[in-house]
């Protein structure tokens, strides 16, 4: 393994000013500055520092129309509100170029998803580099009434990135993304993520990912998933099926499992089994994970996890409250 030890100090600060001129359009300019210093590098390199300067603006406008007489109890519709929101987000980052001999730890991992445009949300700190990107999109929301509140019945976000300076693949345009969430009934939900190229380039690839979650009864929840990936410049082609299930055995005990099969080479990639116990204010789970690593050795893991349901309120000289 590459020797990647170091000591790092990193800080980033951003200022924004939400504006709503005339109540018609939302405009939020942003400006940020950051500083990172590296020292005590294990590979013997000299200490160095970086300065990050960012600027951007988020704009959007909303159009809406109501359909109060649109009612269909079978599909969970009690009146409908359609909100159409086109938007454009611009992000510019200028930073020092890293020496090729430096090997970071918090670096970009290969992914099919678009990177965050906000520097504060970009967790791969060691991979920060110059970029200039405009994200163009339109969000459609269909809202209805459910249980005395407003409910997102269908949400579709369609967007793409235009690159003046692409930090990864030297592209001019990204794929066209479609993120869809449809929760038509309380016991069923459908999530879809698709992307496909709109121009020709070396990084053209296609992806389809879908998940259907449903509850046949109040003690069982099932999630069926499917993912297909073709021609990605880094990741291997994939044709994957997954199944996730959770069964409530009693008021305090539950059992869950997750299975993932890669159909391209008929490999059961991941098997995971968990037992859950509810201790009122917190929960515990004990799990076994089996991962098929193909040519290398298979991986076996035992996981013990504790989770607080709600952080308790403590009143000393200050108040600590989860809310």
């Amino acid at each position: 393994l590459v020797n990647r030890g170091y000591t790092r100090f990193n800080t980033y600060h951003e200022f924004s000013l939400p504006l709503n001129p005339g109540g018609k359009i939302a405009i939020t300019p942003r400006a940020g500055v950051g500083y990172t210093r590296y020292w005590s590098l294990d590979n013997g390199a000299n200490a160095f520092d970086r300065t990050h300067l960012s600027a951007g603006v988020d704009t959007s406008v909303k159009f809406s129309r109501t359909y109060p007489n649109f009612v269909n109890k079978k599909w969970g519709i009690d009146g409908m509100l359609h909100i159409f929101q086109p938007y454009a987000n611009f992000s510019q980052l200028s930073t020092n170029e890293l020496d090729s001999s430096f090997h970071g730890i918090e670096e970009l991992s290969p992914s099919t998803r678009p990177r965050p445009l906000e520097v504060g949300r970009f967790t791969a700190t060691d991979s920060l580099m110059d970029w200039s990107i405009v994200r163009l999109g339109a969000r459609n929301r269909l809202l209805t009434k459910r249980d005395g509140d407003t409910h997102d019945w269908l949400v579709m976000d369609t967007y793409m990135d235009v690159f003046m300076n692409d930090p990864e693949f030297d592209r001019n345009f990204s794929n066209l993304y479609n993120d869809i969430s449809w929760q038509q009934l309380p016991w069923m939900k459908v999530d879809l993520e698709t992307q496909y190229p709109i121009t020709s380039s070396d990084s053209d690839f296609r992806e389809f990912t879908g998940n259907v979650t449903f509850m046949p009864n109040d003690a069982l929840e099932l999630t069926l998933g499917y993912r297909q990936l073709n021609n990605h410049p880094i990741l291997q082609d994939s044709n994957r099926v997954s199944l996730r299930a959770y069964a409530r055995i009693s008021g305090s005990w539950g059992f869950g499992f997750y299975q993932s099969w890669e159909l391209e080479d008929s490999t059961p990639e991941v098997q995971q089994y968990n037992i859950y116990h509810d201790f009122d204010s917190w929960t515990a789970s004990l799990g076994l994970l089996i991962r098929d690593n193909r040519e290398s050795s298979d991986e076996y893991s035992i996981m013990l996890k504790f989770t607080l349901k709600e952080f308790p309120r403590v009143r000393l000289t200050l108040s600590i409250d989860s809310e």
Side-chain angles (χ1 to χ4, degrees):
L1 296 177
V2 178
N3 201 357
R4 298 190 178 189
Y6 56 75
T7 301
R8 185 187 71 200
F9 171 81
N10 179 69
T11 182
Y12 178 76
H13 307 269
E14 186 174 271
F15 302 90
S16 61
L17 180 63
L19 304 171
N20 192 11
K24 299 293 185 181
I25 185 171
I27 303 174
T28 305
R30 296 177 282 106
V33 60
Y35 173 78
T36 308
R37 179 164 180 80
Y38 296 88
W39 70 97
S40 300
L41 280 75
D42 284 352
N43 64 357
N46 296 327
F48 65 94
D49 51 19
R50 307 176 72 193
T51 302
H52 318 295
L53 299 175
S54 72
V57 60
D58 301 335
T59 62
S60 66
V61 61
K62 287 185 179 181
F63 306 92
S64 64
R65 185 172 181 179
T66 58
Y67 303 89
N69 298 323
F70 186 20
V71 177
N72 189 320
K73 297 299 182 182
K74 180 179 179 180
W75 291 99
I77 300 173
D78 184 9
M80 190 70 76
L81 171 64
H82 178 207
I83 298 177
F84 175 64
Q85 182 184 19
Y87 60 87
N89 303 332
F90 169 72
S91 178
Q92 171 85 40
L93 174 66
S94 178
T95 186
N96 303 86
E97 203 171 310
L98 284 170
D99 189 280
S100 59
S101 64
F102 173 75
H103 297 286
I105 295 175
E106 292 181 338
E107 296 185 318
L108 281 176
S109 299
S111 171
T112 62
R113 303 303 300 165
R115 310 300 185 182
L117 298 184
E118 299 86 354
V119 178
R121 294 181 56 201
F122 196 91
T123 56
T125 306
D126 298 334
S127 289
L128 282 171
M129 60 193 80
D130 291 354
W131 72 56
S132 184
I133 307 171
V134 176
R135 182 162 295 169
L136 304 173
R139 188 176 294 110
N140 282 277
R141 298 174 64 197
L142 295 178
L143 292 83
T144 189
K145 292 180 289 185
R146 183 174 296 173
D147 298 327
D149 203 354
T150 302
H151 171 73
D152 279 320
W153 191 78
L154 174 67
V155 179
M156 182 174 70
D157 194 8
T158 304
Y159 56 97
M160 62 174 291
D161 289 340
V162 181
F163 300 98
M164 282 76 77
N165 182 4
D166 181 9
E168 293 185 69
F169 299 116
D170 194 26
R171 297 163 294 180
N172 293 320
F173 301 96
S174 72
N175 283 353
L176 181 67
Y177 299 92
N178 273 290
D179 299 340
I180 301 172
S181 178
W182 181 32
Q183 190 169 8
Q184 69 278 34
L185 298 168
W187 48 269
M188 185 173 181
K189 183 180 180 181
V190 179
D191 293 304
L192 291 175
E193 294 178 355
T194 67
Q195 57 177 303
Y196 56 87
I198 57 176
T199 61
S200 178
S201 69
D202 294 337
S203 59
D204 288 351
F205 66 93
R206 290 172 170 81
E207 181 185 28
F208 174 90
T209 303
N211 291 284
V212 179
T213 302
F214 62 97
M215 297 181 65
N217 55 60
D218 59 0
L220 179 64
E221 180 179 283
L222 300 172
T223 300
L224 299 174
Y226 175 72
R227 176 177 184 257
Q228 187 178 68
L229 177 66
N230 294 309
N231 300 321
H232 192 275
I234 298 176
L235 301 175
Q236 293 182 348
D237 288 355
S238 178
N239 192 17
R240 182 182 302 164
V241 176
S242 63
L243 172 63
R244 186 186 303 274
Y246 174 80
R248 189 175 70 247
I249 302 172
S250 66
S252 57
W253 288 95
F255 174 76
F257 75 87
Y258 173 76
Q259 303 275 327
S260 175
W261 299 272
E262 179 54 64
L263 304 181
E264 287 283 334
D265 54 7
S266 301
T267 300
E269 287 188 324
V270 178
Q271 303 175 60
Q272 184 173 338
Y273 307 91
N274 294 280
I275 297 176
Y276 303 90
H277 186 63
D278 190 334
F279 292 93
D280 293 332
S281 60
W282 54 282
T283 60
S285 68
L286 178 64
L288 171 66
L289 173 69
I290 304 172
R291 186 186 301 275
D292 189 326
N293 292 319
R294 294 174 173 82
E295 287 86 5
S296 57
S297 301
D298 292 347
E299 177 184 342
Y300 298 88
S301 305
I302 296 178
M303 300 165 292
L304 179 62
K305 182 167 66 175
F306 301 94
T307 305
L308 282 171
K309 288 184 177 179
E310 184 176 357
F311 198 86
R313 179 172 297 182
V314 180
R315 292 194 178 276
L316 298 173
T317 55
L318 71 161
S319 176
I320 303 176
D321 190 350
S322 63
E323 298 176 354

